[in-house]
């Protein structure tokens, strides 16, 4: 099993070129839409902290019949979920590959620098009810601009259109913003998921590969 977890503002389609490569290498490659991202349903518990997404990954490992040779691949929120899933249930994963979000301890050391706070302005904006109005305006033009800022010089129009399909329903957009509100704001959290999240802050016990874009406009190298 190779389980691929996407981030924001993105969708499972981000893995569509990687999945055939993984399949050709002998993996059973699966890319779910994260909780709350259409066409995935809105979770009944209304919880979007990274520990919840990590728990989803662990549950998917069981549902898909994964063994102890499974590989976990995550980008952005998927990376944070990968840290939690691998830290909380290390017996399930042989290797971890993460992109764009370094291990939590590393992020904590650099997040409060001026340069990174400037890059992360959107996380604070998403705490405001104004974001519920601003993000969907003009056919989600906010999402187009994030992609341009974060991936300079890259024509991601095809991916952006597919990603925007995840947010056209206000309930799905509220879910996506809920990830940020559970992390930095007053969004709902649970002790069960807190424990999974905390496990992701410890050093991983299995081999891990970290990837970071040289021109990443969201998280400074």
């Amino acid at each position: 099993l190779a389980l691929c977890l996407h981030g924001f503002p993105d969708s499972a389609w981000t893995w569509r070129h990687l999945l055939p490569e993984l399949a050709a290498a002998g993996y059973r490659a699966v890319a779910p839409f994260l909780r709350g991202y259409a066409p995935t349903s809105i979770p009944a518990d209304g919880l979007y902290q990274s520990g919840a997404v990590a728990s989803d990954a662990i549950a998917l490992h069981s549902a898909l019949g994964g063994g102890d040779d499974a590989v976990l691949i995550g980008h952005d929120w998927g990376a944070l979920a990968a840290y939690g899933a691998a830290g909380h249930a290390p017996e399930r994963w042989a290797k971890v590959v993460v992109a764009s979000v370094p291990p939590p301890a590393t992020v904590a050391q650099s997040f409060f620098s001026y340069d990174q706070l400037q890059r992360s302005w959107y996380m604070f904006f998403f705490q405001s009810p104004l974001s519920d109005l601003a993000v969907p305006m003009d056919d989600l033009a906010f999402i187009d601009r994030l992609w341009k800022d974060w991936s300079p010089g890259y024509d991601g129009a095809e991916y952006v259109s597919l990603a925007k399909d995840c947010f056209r329903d206000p309930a799905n957009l509220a879910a996506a913003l809920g990830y940020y509100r559970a992390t930095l704001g007053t969004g709902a959290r649970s002790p069960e998921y807190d424990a999974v999240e905390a496990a992701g802050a410890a050093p991983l016990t299995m081999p891990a590969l970290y990837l970071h874009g040289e021109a990443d406009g969201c998280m400074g190298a």
Side-chain angles (χ1 to χ4, degrees), residues 1-5 18-19 22-23 26-32 64 66 69-73 93:
L1 174 66
L3 185 62
C4 303
L5 308 175
L18 179 61
L19 296 182
L22 290 168
Y27 290 95
R28 184 160 49 96
V30 179
L64 297 167
D69 58 349
V71 176
L72 188 55
I73 303 170
W93 318 99

Side-chain angles (χ1 to χ4, degrees), residues 148-169:
K148 289 181 179 179
D149 288 345
W150 293 351
S151 302
Y154 175 68
D155 181 7
E158 180 184 16
Y159 288 105
V160 177
S161 177
L162 292 166
K164 286 162 69 171
D165 287 342
C166 295
F167 313 124
R168 298 196 185 280
D169 188 311

Side-chain angles (χ1 to χ4, degrees), residues 29-221:
V30 179
F33 289 79
L34 297 191
R35 60 167 50 206
Y37 281 65
T40 297
S41 60
I42 303 299
D45 61 15
L47 295 169
Y48 299 107
Q49 64 188 102
S50 64
V53 189
S55 295
D56 291 345
I58 295 170
L60 281 167
H61 180 280
S62 296
L64 297 167
D68 59 7
D69 58 349
V71 176
L72 188 55
I73 303 170
H75 168 247
D76 188 66
W77 283 118
L80 282 173
Y83 294 126
H88 189 70
E91 71 283 356
R92 294 175 181 263
W93 318 99
K95 298 177 182 178
V96 176
V97 181
V98 283
S100 298
V101 177
T106 302
V107 173
Q109 292 174 14
S110 61
F111 184 76
F112 293 101
S113 69
Y114 180 87
D115 288 343
Q116 187 55 53
L117 286 170
Q118 187 178 47
R119 294 186 189 96
S120 300
W121 69 272
Y122 66 98
M123 299 182 69
F124 303 98
F125 178 62
F126 287 165
Q127 308 305 316
S128 169
L130 287 175
S131 63
D132 297 314
L133 302 174
V135 176
M137 290 178 64
D138 192 21
D139 189 34
L140 293 158
F142 194 101
I143 302 299
D144 295 290
R145 290 299 303 271
L146 285 181
W147 271 74
K148 289 181 179 179
D149 288 345
W150 293 351
S151 302
Y154 175 68
D155 181 7
E158 180 184 16
Y159 288 105
V160 177
S161 177
L162 292 166
K164 286 162 69 171
D165 287 342
C166 295
F167 313 124
R168 298 196 185 280
D169 188 311
N172 295 117
L173 179 58
L177 299 182
Y179 283 57
Y180 295 93
R181 292 165 181 172
T183 301
L184 292 181
T186 58
R189 299 180 64 90
S190 85
E192 176 187 357
Y193 292 148
D194 286 344
V196 178
E197 209 165 297
L204 299 182
T205 58
M206 70 288 293
L209 172 67
Y210 178 72
L211 304 171
H212 196 97
E214 185 177 25
D216 187 334
C218 180
M219 183 75 72

